[in-house]
Structure formats: structure tokens, C-alpha cells
Amino acid sequence: MEISVVLCTYNNEDRLQITLESLYNLNTPEGAEWELIAVDNNSTDNTEDVIRAFEGRLPLTYVYEPQQGKSRALNTGIEVAQGELIVFTD
């Protein structure tokens, strides 16, 4: 795996939908290997459903982090990531 993109989110289902649509519409270079790690940081809205709707459309891994806090969510994403390069987006 070349690149891991870590996306941490908390109760942001509307903007999350827009972000995932944008990632889906990216033009990636042919042969580029990447993964998207979506970390749900203890959301109480429909975050999980929004993320799961993109399974099969994106190289996506859903991860739930029950302890609140962006740093905890980022660390969870890093633990799961398999890429040589890890990048973060919000």
C-alpha cells in the first residue's frame, strides 16, 4: 500500500457525505494504491451509515473510536493504516 488517507469525524454526517463524494470523484493516477481509513470518533448521528454507504465505492476501512478526542481518533487511524505514507484530511 502506497498511501493511507486518515479521515477522523465526529457528528458531521452532512459534510462527511460531501467529503466522501469528493474523494470518490478524485482522479487517481493509474496504478496508485491507496486506502481511506474513516475513523468515527464516538458519533451519535448517522456517521457510520454515511461511511458504510461508500463501501465498495472507495478503498475504505471503517473504524470506531469510542474515546472522544481528535488525537485519539488520529492515533487509531494511524494504527490501522497500512500505507508507506499517511496523510490526514478533515
Side-chain angles (χ1 to χ4, degrees):
M1 185 67 53
E2 291 180 50
I3 301 170
S4 295
V5 178
V6 176
L7 169 67
C8 299
T9 187
Y10 170 72
N11 285 349
N12 199 13
E13 65 183 281
D14 293 333
R15 281 192 269 167
L16 176 61
Q17 176 76 33
I18 294 166
T19 301
L20 293 173
E21 285 288 345
S22 296
L23 288 168
Y24 174 73
N25 290 314
L26 282 176
N27 291 322
T28 55
E30 189 174 323
E33 293 184 27
W34 70 289
E35 66 178 348
L36 174 61
I37 310 297
V39 183
D40 177 354
N41 192 203
N42 199 29
S43 297
T44 58
D45 64 359
N46 294 316
T47 292
E48 181 178 2
D49 294 335
V50 171
I51 294 169
R52 296 231 184 252
F54 283 85
E55 290 180 332
R57 296 174 61 195
L58 287 168
L60 178 64
T61 300
Y62 171 83
V63 180
Y64 180 75
E65 172 50 61
Q67 292 187 311
Q68 201 69 50
K70 187 168 183 178
S71 293
R72 290 198 184 270
L74 288 170
N75 286 332
T76 298
I78 290 168
E79 288 175 14
V80 173
Q82 297 180 25
E84 294 176 37
L85 176 65
I86 301 173
V87 296
F88 305 98
T89 189
D90 288 330

